[in-house]
Amino acid sequence: MIPFLDLQAAHQEIRAEISDAVARVIDSGWYVLGDEVATFEEEYAAFCNASHCISVANGLDALHLALRAMNVGIGDEVIVPSNTYIATWLAVSQCGATPVPVEPDPQTFNINPALVESAITYRTKVIIPVHLYGQSADMHSILQIAGRHNLRVLDDAAQAHGARYKGLRIGAIGDVTAWSFYPGKNLGALGDGGAITTNNATLADELRALRNYGSRKKYINDTLGWNSRLDAIQAAVLRVKLRHLEGWNSRRVAIAAGYLTELADSALTLPLVPSWSDPVWHLFVVRSSNRDALQQRLAASGIDTLIHYPVPPHRQKAYAGLGIENDAFPVANQMSDEVLSLPIGPHMTEHQLAHVVSSIKDCAR
């Protein structure tokens, strides 16, 4: 079997470091927020070239609280991609606002800036580009549009730890960047976790209060807040993994390069990497008009694949209330029928890569 992602191999590689970090937290007697969390926030902010990092309980909370800090509420609209994980939309809905979908560029899978402006109304408050699959969205074009309309940009980087746009690391290019540390991410905890990075000190101060019951000082509550705090054990684990992230991302880049080279003449549609993007390949997503048959044949060869994502948000029952027709977003619909995520990860071997490639080529015969 070739697993889609081998998490056990990653943890075996750094098992001793993780054990030492967890023991340090246990011995400290401080398990929520505290010095361990504060140190991780400093280290991750520095990694992202951002002035502030505010850790939270998960990636959805990172998006939701970032929108709250920007005063998004009932009656507002937020531009979102039609092709994304539903959490991007849910964060908007949790604020009482309305997600307004925009189709992706079919070559990069990311939101198409050329279509964003026509979706803006007087109710629009924020644009959320998603750096999908680990490749940066076209931030310059989106920021220009936001500037013309006095909007803010919250980029969803849940899959893009370490990715760069025009040489700049994702994390402080927009107004706010939201992160997930779900275990399967490039930088993943041993449980759930999330964070927000920003250069805006006012937003950072508001976010620190919002994640902690609306409190800046114990028992003094300045606003209606939430309980969304990263625990110290997860922070300690993330500190260890952050030291390995660049190396692990480099291994992913090498696997992706192998796919791009060896599958260049195949019947698959491969992802396009624009000149301004340095992806970290959280996922390697191809497109096939015979996706389901291909997935079944790869499974028969012992190769685990996944579909990201089989049902677009606008076709989910949860969003039936928006009244969006199923065929309203044909690009997102086509992607949901064609995309297939091939195995990739820092511990995938060259032998495993060769087996996946040869199996795909065998399927075309």
Side-chain angles (χ1 to χ4, degrees):
M1 280 295 297
I2 296 178
F4 179 74
L5 174 65
D6 192 347
L7 286 179
Q8 289 183 328
H11 295 140
Q12 282 300 118
E13 180 183 339
I14 58 172
R15 188 180 186 90
E17 294 176 73
I18 288 178
S19 295
D20 289 346
V22 171
R24 182 178 67 241
V25 174
I26 293 172
D27 292 342
S28 75
W30 196 299
Y31 308 122
V32 177
L33 296 180
D35 291 342
E36 195 75 43
V37 172
T39 303
F40 167 70
E41 290 175 339
E42 292 172 4
E43 292 171 351
Y44 196 63
F47 177 82
C48 296
N49 297 315
S51 301
H52 307 276
C53 172
I54 304 91
S55 60
V56 293
N58 54 68
L60 175 55
D61 282 0
L63 288 164
H64 170 221
L65 295 183
L67 290 170
R68 291 280 184 180
M70 292 186 285
N71 297 314
V72 173
I74 296 172
D76 294 329
E77 294 178 349
V78 176
I79 304 292
V80 296
S82 61
N83 178 51
T84 186
Y85 184 55
I86 199 169
T88 313
W89 289 41
L90 290 175
V92 177
S93 301
Q94 287 180 354
C95 294
T98 301
V100 177
V102 169
E103 290 271 64
D105 180 324
Q107 292 185 296
T108 66
F109 304 109
N110 278 320
I111 193 168
N112 190 341
L115 303 177
V116 169
E117 205 147 18
S118 62
I120 294 172
T121 73
Y122 73 96
R123 293 182 181 274
T124 307
K125 210 159 189 177
V126 176
I127 303 172
I128 305 183
V130 178
H131 307 296
L132 200 63
Y133 311 147
Q135 174 158 276
S136 60
D138 186 357
M139 292 297 290
H140 177 73
S141 298
I142 293 165
L143 287 168
Q144 281 191 321
I145 294 168
R148 287 197 294 270
H149 295 272
N150 195 30
L151 304 176
R152 280 180 150 160
V153 175
L154 162 61
D155 50 320
D156 181 341
Q159 302 180 1
H161 311 78
R164 293 179 184 270
Y165 173 76
K166 293 187 176 181
L168 298 175
R169 192 171 273 152
I170 296 298
I173 299 174
D175 292 284
V176 187
T177 303
W179 303 90
S180 168
F181 301 128
Y182 183 77
K185 305 297 186 183
N186 289 39
L187 180 63
L190 294 182
D192 236 329
I196 305 111
T197 53
T198 182
N199 283 336
N200 188 312
T202 302
L203 287 176
D205 178 67
E206 181 68 13
L207 284 161
R208 290 189 183 97
L210 286 174
R211 73 169 177 188
N212 190 36
Y213 300 100
S215 174
R216 293 174 175 85
K217 183 179 179 182
K218 194 169 185 178
Y219 302 129
I220 304 299
N221 302 81
D222 302 317
T223 187
L224 298 175
W226 283 260
N227 175 17
S228 182
R229 301 173 296 186
L230 187 68
D231 72 72
I233 287 179
Q234 300 304 337
V237 170
L238 289 168
R239 289 184 64 199
V240 171
K241 289 190 170 186
L242 183 58
R243 298 197 292 266
H244 296 270
L245 180 58
E246 292 270 54
W248 286 353
N249 281 345
S250 295
R251 297 185 204 173
R252 288 177 177 270
V253 169
I255 295 293
Y259 279 140
L260 290 169
T261 299
E262 298 298 327
L263 297 175
D265 297 327
S266 72
L268 300 178
T269 300
L270 303 180
L272 172 72
V273 180
S275 60
W276 38 257
S277 177
D278 291 309
V280 291
W281 300 105
H282 173 62
L283 300 173
F284 190 91
V285 180
V286 299
R287 293 173 60 185
S288 170
S289 57
N290 298 308
R291 188 267 313 281
D292 293 344
L294 174 61
Q295 186 177 38
Q296 290 170 7
R297 293 185 66 179
L298 292 177
S301 297
I303 298 167
D304 189 19
T305 60
L306 293 175
I307 298 171
H308 296 87
Y309 300 98
V311 183
H314 74 275
R315 284 168 42 199
Q316 297 282 1
K317 183 179 179 181
Y319 280 104
L322 291 182
I324 300 174
E325 298 293 332
N326 281 348
D327 60 355
F329 296 96
V331 178
N333 284 337
Q334 185 177 9
M335 286 182 174
S336 70
D337 291 336
E338 295 182 354
V339 293
L340 185 67
S341 300
L342 302 181
I344 193 167
H347 297 84
M348 187 175 180
T349 66
E350 291 185 7
H351 175 74
Q352 290 175 323
L353 171 65
H355 180 57
V356 175
V357 168
S358 64
S359 297
I360 289 173
K361 289 179 177 180
D362 286 343
C363 290
R365 292 173 184 163

